């Protein structure tokens, strides 16, 4: 176990991150700009930072119990006393037999009391264990903050690239709708001159309606993706940079899967947080065991009192200085039960750490395999576009000479645009898979975001115009309208 690593690691890593972001030049809205806005404005992350400060103050609370304690008290009291005393007459009294003697006594006076108490713990195993627990809990919370920061960076990148993914798919669906719309018009013209049957028109119309529905769904997905990014950053951007066509699709570096696993074992904040949980649980056990230890403290107190009562002069003062010790002898079995309870708690935290370690290993291995396969998938999808384009050209030629029918043409067009859409999906799957691999290995930081940011191209920016507040629709969306084929 490495408790020191838990407390120092977050500050070092995220200091570099924030310095890197602060030095970033202000230009078009790219991933780096959006990530910086999210780190500054995300409510969940702000809550995690406040929670770290709250837990950190608990350390000062526990430390205060080990420092000298000093208290003072005073009271000023107004007193009124009244007494009546009497006795039966005695023989020889001047008043004569049978007469009583009554004595009244009434006094008003003030009294003043002052006290001063001081104590210093000399030996208190429970308080020392509580301080150690507070320090370990602070380190664990710092790691929790780092987990939240890395998760936010991944969420921002995911929301950013989901917009680009939706935009690319929408572009493919619009192109598909235009192409099938042209095919529908050609089928209608051929039917009007008697070159084809009405079934061709129906087939083309059905394909066009399907393409239109797919385009509307793609527009809806694009609009929804805007909102996810705005929720994280509390910002609405006019446009964001698109993914460059020159995206370098390469296997992860380092190229060995076990190297990524070892990296995760050293850097994963989730794993280190689980490891810190063991230390917190061990402190809980130490606190419970300290319930059997004696306590020793030094103390001093001073008392002063004075009064202006009639007939009373002077004042009283008293002071004490000494040591006070206590030894728990029997607590009804509560201390033993607490020790057993916290022993099981320590065991739970150890199993939780092992479960997190196994999960991290499995996640890193799976993501490494996924990203490596994505490299080949992107290339395969690229080749599929060329193959489907050749198939469409051949099918169109066959349709012109009568060897293929319109259904074949429509299917070939559908296959082409599906291949284009699948290629876009594969590119974004690769980027997000690589970022998730970095997150699981604990290396998703400012440097990783800057590296991905270099793959963006401002010339391929995506407009983020949303429907206006009155409920109108951005004309660029062209929702529900049949596109006009190019001349």
């Amino acid at each position: 176990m490495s408790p020191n690593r838990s407390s120092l690691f977050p500050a070092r890593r995220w200091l570099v991150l924030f310095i890197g972001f602060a030095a970033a030049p202000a230009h078009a809205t790219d991933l780096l700009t959006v990530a910086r806005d999210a780190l500054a404005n995300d409510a969940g992350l702000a809550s995690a930072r406040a929670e770290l400060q709250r837990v950190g103050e608990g350390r000062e609370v526990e430390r205060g119990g080990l420092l000298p304690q000093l208290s003072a008290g005073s009271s000023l009291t107004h007193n009124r006393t009244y007494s009546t005393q009497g006795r039966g007459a005695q023989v020889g009294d001047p008043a004569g037999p049978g007469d009583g003697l009554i004595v009244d006594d009434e006094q008003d006076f003030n009294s003043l009391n002052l006290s001063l108490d001081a104590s210093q713990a000399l030996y208190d195993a429970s308080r020392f264990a509580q301080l150690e627990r507070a320090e370990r809990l602070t380190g664990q919370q710092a790691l929790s903050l780092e987990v939240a920061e890395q998760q936010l960076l991944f969420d921002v990148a995911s929301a950013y690239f989901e917009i680009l993914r939706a935009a690319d798919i929408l572009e493919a669906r619009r192109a598909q709708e235009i192409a099938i719309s042209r095919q529908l018009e050609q089928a209608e013209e051929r039917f009007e001159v008697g070159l084809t049957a009405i079934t061709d028109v129906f087939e083309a119309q059905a394909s066009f309606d399907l393409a239109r529905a797919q385009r509307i769904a793609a527009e809806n997905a694009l609009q929804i993706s805007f909102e996810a990014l705005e929720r994280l950053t509390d910002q609405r951007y006019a446009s964001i940079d698109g993914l460059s066509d020159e995206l370098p699709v390469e296997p992860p570096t380092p190229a060995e899967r076990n190297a990524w696993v070892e990296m995760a074992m050293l850097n994963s904040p989730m794993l280190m947080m689980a490891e810190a949980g063991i230390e917190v649980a061990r402190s809980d056990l130490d606190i419970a065991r300290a319930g059997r230890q004696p306590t020793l403290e030094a103390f001093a107190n001073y008392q002063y009192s004075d009064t202006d009562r009639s007939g009373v002069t002077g004042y009283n003062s008293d002071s004490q200085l000494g040591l006070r010790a206590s030894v728990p002898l029997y607590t009804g079995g509560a201390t033993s039960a607490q020790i057993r309870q916290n022993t099981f708690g320590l065991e739970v935290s150890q199993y939780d750490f092992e479960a997190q370690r196994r999960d991290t290993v499995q996640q890193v291995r799976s993501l490494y395999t996924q990203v490596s396969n994505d490299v080949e998938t992107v290339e395969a999808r690229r080749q599929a576009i060329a193959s489907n384009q050749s198939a469409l050209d051949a099918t169109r030629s066959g349709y012109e000479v009568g060897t293929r029918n319109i259904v074949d043409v429509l299917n070939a067009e559908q296959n082409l645009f599906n291949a284009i859409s699948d290629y876009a999906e594969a590119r974004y799957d690769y980027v997000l898979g690589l970022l998730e691999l970095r997150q699981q290995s604990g290396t998703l930081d400012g440097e990783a975001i800057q590296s991905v940011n270099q793959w963006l191209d401002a010339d391929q920016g995506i407009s983020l115009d949303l429907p206006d507040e009155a409920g109108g629709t951005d004309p660029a969306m062209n929702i529900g309208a049949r596109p006009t084929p190019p001349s």
Side-chain angles (χ1 to χ4, degrees), residues 281-405:
R282 185 169 284 115
S283 292
D284 289 333
L285 181 58
D286 292 340
I287 293 172
R289 287 172 173 168
R292 292 176 170 173
Q293 300 295 317
T295 61
L296 177 65
E297 68 174 4
F299 70 93
N301 61 66
Y302 174 75
Q303 303 284 339
Y304 170 87
S305 63
D306 195 4
T307 179
D308 60 0
R309 187 171 184 174
S310 175
V312 178
T313 60
Y315 63 89
N316 295 321
S317 66
D318 182 28
S319 62
Q320 293 180 332
L321 180 66
L323 298 176
R324 184 163 44 228
S326 64
V327 180
L329 298 178
Y330 180 66
T331 59
T335 301
S336 297
Q338 187 70 51
I339 291 174
R340 292 194 302 270
Q341 183 184 49
N342 291 349
T343 299
F344 287 122
L346 176 59
E347 188 175 346
V348 168
S349 67
Q350 290 170 337
Y351 283 125
D352 288 343
F353 170 76
E354 178 61 20
Q356 182 61 52
R357 187 194 67 81
R358 295 180 186 181
D359 183 68
T360 300
V361 170
Q362 185 269 329
Q363 289 287 340
V364 170
R365 287 175 176 173
S366 298
L367 287 168
Y368 178 86
T369 302
Q370 174 186 320
V371 173
S372 299
N373 291 339
D374 285 341
V375 174
E376 298 180 3
T377 300
V378 171
E379 181 58 33
R381 296 296 187 188
R382 190 202 311 271
Q383 184 59 41
I385 294 176
S387 299
N388 280 279
Q389 182 65 62
S390 299
L392 176 59
D393 293 341
T395 303
R396 282 175 175 170
S397 299
Y399 178 62
E400 294 296 331
V401 300
T403 59
R404 306 298 290 271
N405 57 39

Side-chain angles (χ1 to χ4, degrees), residues 142-267:
L143 289 166
S144 178
L145 174 60
E146 184 177 358
V147 170
E149 287 171 332
Q150 289 204 16
Q151 184 63 51
L152 177 61
L153 286 181
F154 179 76
D155 290 344
V156 167
S158 179
Y160 187 100
F161 287 112
E162 286 301 330
I163 292 176
L164 301 186
R165 182 202 301 266
D168 281 0
I169 293 175
L170 176 57
E171 182 179 359
R173 295 309 178 194
R174 282 177 171 168
Q176 171 184 300
E177 186 179 6
I178 291 174
I180 295 179
S181 174
R182 183 188 301 115
Q183 195 66 45
L184 173 58
E185 291 184 356
Q186 291 176 354
E188 290 172 344
E189 293 172 357
R190 290 167 66 91
F191 171 72
E192 289 174 358
V193 298
L195 295 178
T196 188
I198 190 62
T199 55
D200 285 1
V201 177
F202 292 157
E203 293 286 353
Q205 182 66 52
S207 293
F208 172 76
D209 292 339
L210 175 61
R212 179 171 175 269
Q214 290 176 329
R215 186 260 301 168
I216 294 174
E219 287 175 340
N220 182 62
L222 180 58
Q223 291 187 40
I224 292 174
S225 65
F226 298 160
E227 300 296 340
L229 188 63
E230 184 176 347
R231 180 186 67 82
L232 294 170
T233 63
D234 196 31
Q235 301 287 332
R236 178 168 291 189
Y237 306 98
S239 64
I240 60 175
D241 294 351
L243 189 61
S244 172
D245 293 334
E246 305 302 323
L247 168 68
V249 183
E250 301 171 345
T253 303
E256 294 295 329
R257 187 175 67 169
N258 288 338
W260 283 93
V261 172
E262 292 174 1
M263 193 184 306
M265 293 299 99
L266 291 175
N267 299 321

